[in-house]
Amino acid sequence: MRQQLIQALVALLLIAAILLGVEFGVREGYLKAYEFPPASRIAQGFVELTTVGFPTGVTIWTHTFVTVMRILKGYVAAIVIAVPLGLLIGAVPVLDKMTAPLIVFFRSVATLSLLPLAIVWFGAGELTKVILIGYGCFWVMLSNVIAGVKYVDPALIRAARSFRVSGWTLYREVVLPAALPRMFAGARVALGVGFMVIVGAEMIGTIQGLGALIMEARSFYRSEITVIGMLVIGVLGFLISSGLAAFERLLLPWGGGSSEASR
Amino acid sequence: MSRTGPERASSAAGAAPMIDIRHVRKQFDVRGGGEALVLDDINLSIAANQFLSIVGRSGCGKTTLLNIIAGLDAASGGEVLIAGRRVVGPGQGQGMVFQQHALFPWLTALENVVFGARSLPLAKAEKIDRARELLQLVGLEASAGKYPREMSGGMQQRIAIARALALDPDILLMDEPFGALDELTRIEMQQELLRIWEARRKTVVFITHSIGEALTLSDRVILLAPHPGRVARDIAIDLPRPRSRTDRRFNEFYEQIWSGLSS
C-alpha cells in the first residue's frame, strides 16, 4: 500500500517534470512550440475547443460524439455479424478448415489500406468510415469467437459426455459458456482496433470527429490541438474498455475478472 | 462383431460380475502410418461392490482402459459388459470422476451436481433436491453457491464425486482423482472416499500412480504393464479397513506391487 503510494508519487513527479521542462524550454526558446506544445498551450487549446470550437463552430463535444457514434456503429455491426458466424464456423470443422486461410488473409490486410477502394465503392461519406471500422473489428472478433469455440478444454467435453450430454445440448450448455471468456477478450481487442482505425477513417471527407480534428489541426500547425485529440481518444478508449470489463464481470461472475481486463 | 470369448455368461446368472472386460484391445493410428497397440487382450471380471485399483506406469494404457469402460472411447476389439449389457456409450451405469479441472467453472457447486443429473427424466426441483443430498453426502452443503475457482482442490474433487453420483451409477470410475492434491488433502480424500463408498455401495475402478493409495483403498489391485498394456498381476488385498501404512502385511503387499512394477 505504502509502496504503491510512493510509486504513484514518483510517476506523478516524473510527468510534472517533463511538463515543466517543456514549458520552460519553449519559453526560453530551446524548443519550438509547434513541435512540443507546452501544457499551458494545451490548456488554452482545450478552452478554445470547448467554447469557440475548432474549426470554428465545432466543439470538442461534437467531435467526440461523432467519433463515438461512428465507432459504435461499425463495432456493433461487426460484433453482431461475427458472433453468430464464428459460433457456426467454430462448431463445424469443415467450415473452419475452408475459412481459416481467408480469415488469416483478410485479418492481415491493414484496414486503412482499403481506404482508397472503400471510397470508390461507398463514397467519401459516413458509410465508408463505419465500414472501415467494422472491417477492422470484424476479423479480430471472428477469429476470437472461432478460437473460443474450437479450443474448449477437452476435459469439460468428456465430463459432459460422461453424463450422456451430447449434440446441441453439449454445444449450448458447455461449449458456449466455455467460449465466453475468449469472446469477451476478442471484443476488447476489437474495440482497440476500432479506435486505431478511426483516426485514419476520419482523415477524409469530414471536418467532424476526433480524427478529423487531429488532421485539421496539423494543417494549421496547431499541434496542441492534435495532442488534445490524442488525449481524448485515449481517455475514451480507457473508459469504454473499463465499461466492457465491468460488463464482463457482471455477466461472467465465475471468471474471477481476468487481470488484463483493463487493457 | 466377432465374439471372441467362447464362454458368454448369461446375464441371468446370479454370480455375474458387475463389469466384465473381455479380450479388450485398443490401437491408435500413428501419424505417418502404422499403429500403436495400447491395450492387448485385457480380461477382467469385477464383482459388484468391489473396490479395484489399477496401478501402472505412465503410458501403460490405464486411462484408455477406463475410458473404454466409461463408454467414452471405443475398443478396437473385444467388449465390456456392465451387468451383462454390452457397453456402447456413457450413462449405462458408469459415473466418472476425472483427474482435475473437469468441473464446469461457470456453474456453482450445486449447479455442477445438478448438471450430473442432466439426462434424467426428473423435474428441475427433484434434481436440485438430489444434488443437495449429494452435497451433504460429501460434506459440502454449505458451499452449494460457490464457483469452482472459489474452492480448494480437495473441495473441487468432492464436488466432482457428488456430480458423478448424480446419475446414481452402479459403478464409479475414477481417473487419478487425487493425483493433483497435496499429500495431506490426499489422505483426507481417501478416507472421505471410503466413507462415501461405505455409505453408497458402488463398484469402484480407481486409477492411480500411488501404490500406497491403491493399498489403502482397494479390495484388489491390478498391475498394468506397458507396451502394450496388459495385466501383469492381479492381487487381492485382504486387509481389514481402516488400514495402517505401518502394518507388516501392508508393507509386504507394497513390496509385491513394487517388484511387479519394476520388473
Side-chain angles (χ1 to χ4, degrees):
Chain A
M1 189 62 214
R2 191 189 168 86
Q3 204 170 2
Q4 278 175 343
L5 215 69
I6 293 172
Q7 279 172 0
L9 206 67
V10 171
L12 274 176
L13 279 176
L14 198 66
I15 293 171
I18 292 172
L19 290 180
L20 277 175
V22 171
E23 196 79 49
F24 178 77
V26 170
R27 197 156 292 175
E28 296 301 310
Y30 298 116
L31 297 171
K32 297 191 180 79
Y34 64 85
E35 282 176 358
F36 299 96
S40 57
R41 284 267 198 117
I42 296 173
Q44 279 168 19
F46 189 75
V47 171
E48 180 187 339
L49 266 171
T50 50
T51 50
V52 188
F54 183 92
T56 311
V58 190
T59 62
I60 189 75
W61 314 121
T62 311
H63 287 302
T64 307
F65 179 76
V66 167
T67 292
V68 167
M69 285 317 285
R70 281 177 186 144
I71 292 179
L72 278 186
K73 280 180 199 161
Y75 179 68
V76 170
I79 303 275
V80 165
I81 302 171
V83 169
L85 201 62
L87 291 179
L88 179 72
I89 294 175
V92 185
V94 184
L95 272 182
D96 178 48
K97 279 213 175 71
M98 274 163 43
T99 54
L102 286 178
I103 293 171
V104 174
F105 175 80
F106 284 119
R107 210 191 137 165
S108 312
V109 175
T111 309
L112 286 179
S113 66
L114 294 172
L115 187 60
L117 258 187
I119 291 175
V120 172
W121 287 344
F122 308 110
E126 283 303 293
L127 187 61
T128 297
K129 298 173 183 59
V130 172
I131 282 180
L132 283 179
I133 291 163
Y135 181 94
C137 300
F138 176 78
W139 299 107
V140 172
M141 190 62 196
L142 184 67
S143 39
N144 274 285
V145 175
I146 293 173
V149 174
K150 242 169 77 176
Y151 300 119
V152 172
D153 185 350
L156 296 181
I157 294 186
R158 287 184 101 70
R161 282 183 55 215
S162 80
F163 297 110
R164 257 189 313 190
V165 169
S166 60
W168 169 237
T169 314
L170 179 73
Y171 189 76
R172 201 185 54 221
E173 294 192 12
V174 178
V175 175
L176 216 54
L180 278 178
R182 183 77 189 249
M183 286 163 63
F184 264 98
R188 279 201 305 271
V189 179
L191 188 71
V193 171
F195 272 93
M196 265 159 31
V197 171
I198 188 68
V199 177
E202 286 181 339
M203 281 195 300
I204 289 170
T206 182
I207 55 160
Q208 292 188 341
L210 294 167
L213 174 71
I214 288 170
M215 289 310 292
E216 198 70 8
R218 193 196 64 118
S219 337
F220 289 93
Y221 294 97
R222 296 289 302 273
S223 39
E224 81 275 18
I225 303 262
T226 305
V227 170
I228 294 171
M230 284 159 48
L231 286 175
V232 174
I233 288 177
V235 170
L236 273 183
F238 178 77
L239 287 180
I240 298 184
S241 192
S242 313
L244 266 185
F247 184 56
E248 177 177 350
R249 277 194 298 274
L250 192 76
L251 223 63
L252 314 179
W254 48 272
S258 41
S259 52
E260 71 269 73
S262 49
R263 289 190 190 160
Chain B
M1 277 299 119
S2 66
R3 191 155 288 142
T4 35
E7 75 301 315
R8 189 178 151 80
S10 106
S11 54
M18 177 58 81
I19 306 174
D20 200 1
I21 301 168
R22 300 175 167 195
H23 305 292
V24 162
R25 38 184 276 117
K26 178 74 181 176
Q27 55 198 28
F28 289 111
D29 291 335
V30 179
R31 188 184 284 254
E35 286 164 342
L37 191 59
V38 180
L39 292 174
D40 186 25
D41 196 31
I42 306 287
N43 289 284
L44 278 176
S45 274
I46 305 168
N49 301 336
Q50 192 167 63
F51 197 125
L52 175 133
S53 288
I54 300 178
V55 183
R57 292 173 182 277
S58 301
C60 71
K62 13 187 224 308
T63 294
T64 306
L65 180 60
L66 199 75
N67 282 330
I68 291 173
I69 302 172
L72 291 170
D73 269 347
S76 311
E79 60 183 357
V80 176
L81 304 181
I82 289 180
R85 277 174 59 222
R86 193 190 160 102
V87 171
V88 290
Q92 288 180 236
Q94 316 99 312
M96 189 98 177
V97 180
F98 297 86
Q99 197 163 15
Q100 56 169 339
H101 302 313
L103 290 180
F104 302 115
W106 57 89
L107 298 180
T108 62
L110 182 71
E111 289 164 344
N112 262 287
V113 182
V114 172
F115 187 99
R118 184 72 181 67
S119 63
L120 286 181
L122 290 177
K124 181 94 185 182
E126 286 177 277
K127 289 182 190 172
I128 292 174
D129 284 347
R130 176 185 283 231
R132 286 201 184 281
E133 209 175 291
L134 286 168
L135 283 183
Q136 209 167 357
L137 176 72
V138 299
L140 285 180
E141 63 270 39
S143 304
K146 283 191 180 157
Y147 288 104
R149 72 170 171 88
E150 300 169 315
M151 295 186 280
S152 68
M155 286 164 81
Q156 290 186 21
Q157 283 309 62
R158 284 183 209 213
I159 301 293
I161 293 171
R163 185 178 67 171
L165 293 173
L167 280 178
D168 197 19
D170 296 320
I171 301 166
L172 210 47
L173 303 173
M174 310 184 79
D175 187 4
E176 286 183 53
F178 310 144
L181 304 178
D182 64 84
E183 183 69 13
L184 291 178
T185 313
R186 194 174 178 147
I187 291 169
E188 269 170 30
M189 287 301 294
Q190 290 165 4
Q191 291 165 355
E192 186 69 10
L193 177 61
L194 283 178
R195 184 182 66 72
I196 293 168
W197 178 65
E198 304 280 343
R200 308 246 167 140
R201 279 289 171 171
K202 304 281 176 201
T203 308
V204 180
V205 180
F206 188 98
I207 285 183
T208 179
H209 272 121
S210 158
I211 302 174
E213 184 166 80
L215 281 176
T216 306
L217 296 171
S218 323
D219 298 319
R220 186 177 167 196
V221 175
I222 301 291
L223 284 190
L224 223 53
H227 312 300
R230 59 199 187 280
V231 176
R233 298 225 184 145
D234 184 341
I235 304 162
I237 313 295
D238 54 351
L239 298 174
R241 293 186 181 87
R243 292 172 181 167
S244 157
R245 282 165 191 257
T246 51
D247 181 75
R248 185 181 54 81
R249 292 200 56 217
F250 188 100
N251 285 292
E252 283 169 10
F253 277 121
Y254 196 103
E255 285 305 321
Q256 194 183 344
I257 295 173
W258 175 243
S259 67
L261 278 174
S262 45
S263 63

